[in-house]
Amino acid sequence: TVPGLLCPSRPENVKFLQGLYKDLLSIFKTTPYLGVGCSEVWMQWNKQYCPLCQARIRAGETEWDIYCKHVLNCAEAVTRAAKEMHRSVRPVLWADEFYMYNLRPRYAGLEKMPPGLVMGHWQYFDKYWVLDNRHYDGIEGLASRGFDVMFVSACWPFNSYLVDLSPGDPAVDEGKFTLVT
């Protein structure tokens, strides 16, 4: 596989992640949330599969199927780690894979996600650059499907502008960051 990725087809990797989650929870003793990662994994495969993932694909699974099952495994690993530590901790997932990209139907796979999973709304683009002019309706789409949504401010590569979530269109220069020297 691509260097730096954990193979989602190896059960021992999920056990490793559960141990990592447990270590993090021992450091962050009061957090009610723990991020599971799983962001942008599908973009990095580029059809460079390990033999286990290749076998799953040959058997009829898609990259998206493998990804969704891995997210579920990671969310369950957070829940198990928290339970072992007698804690109540909810897994958080950067959810942009589900609502922002055009590679599959919008919100596909969310029906497989557990209701306790908190969806991190991650929007790279400002209003004028969002794919298909969808703006920030991902928040509403996630919430209407029963998920709690945590807004995470992100605006790459337009990080010289503040993100505007208002329903109206701002003036062109409104919200532009000004450096004061």
Side-chain angles (χ1 to χ4, degrees):
T1 59
V2 178
L5 298 181
L6 288 174
C7 176
S9 297
R10 300 181 71 86
E12 62 269 26
N13 286 344
V14 175
K15 289 179 184 176
F16 166 76
L17 289 172
Q18 183 175 341
L20 178 62
Y21 298 153
K22 203 169 166 183
D23 289 347
L24 288 167
L25 291 175
S26 70
I27 295 167
F28 299 99
K29 297 182 185 303
T30 60
T31 185
Y33 306 107
L34 185 64
V36 298
C38 299
S39 183
E40 301 177 356
V41 172
W42 67 272
M43 290 190 278
Q44 297 176 35
W45 269 340
N46 296 319
K47 306 206 181 297
Q48 296 179 37
Y49 311 115
C50 74
L52 293 174
C53 290
Q54 186 63 53
R56 290 174 72 178
I57 288 169
R58 279 194 207 113
E61 286 185 85
T62 65
E63 286 180 352
W64 187 241
D65 295 330
I66 293 170
Y67 172 78
C68 287
K69 287 178 185 175
H70 184 63
V71 170
L72 281 171
N73 288 336
C74 290
E76 289 169 7
V78 168
T79 302
R80 284 190 305 270
K83 187 175 181 179
E84 285 179 23
M85 298 179 77
H86 308 288
R87 301 260 311 272
S88 177
V89 178
R90 294 176 66 191
V92 178
L93 172 71
W94 303 134
D96 53 325
E97 322 299 356
F98 293 99
Y99 61 81
M100 198 164 112
Y101 303 112
N102 292 326
L103 302 175
R104 70 200 140 271
R106 204 147 188 242
Y107 303 108
L110 279 179
E111 70 282 355
K112 300 174 186 177
M113 297 299 115
L117 184 61
V118 177
M119 294 294 184
H121 181 270
W122 182 263
Q123 185 79 36
Y124 284 118
F125 308 99
D126 71 5
K127 282 183 154 187
Y128 299 103
W129 294 93
V130 174
L131 302 174
D132 291 345
N133 200 28
R134 291 179 179 154
H135 306 311
Y136 281 76
D137 66 348
I139 296 170
E140 180 184 349
L142 293 166
S144 70
R145 286 165 174 78
F147 293 98
D148 288 334
V149 179
M150 181 183 296
F151 177 75
V152 181
S153 179
C155 207
W156 175 89
F158 309 101
N159 55 9
S160 61
Y161 291 84
L162 299 175
V163 175
D164 180 4
L165 296 176
S166 66
D169 287 334
V172 174
D173 289 334
E174 187 179 317
K176 188 171 183 176
F177 178 80
T178 304
L179 182 61
V180 179
T181 57

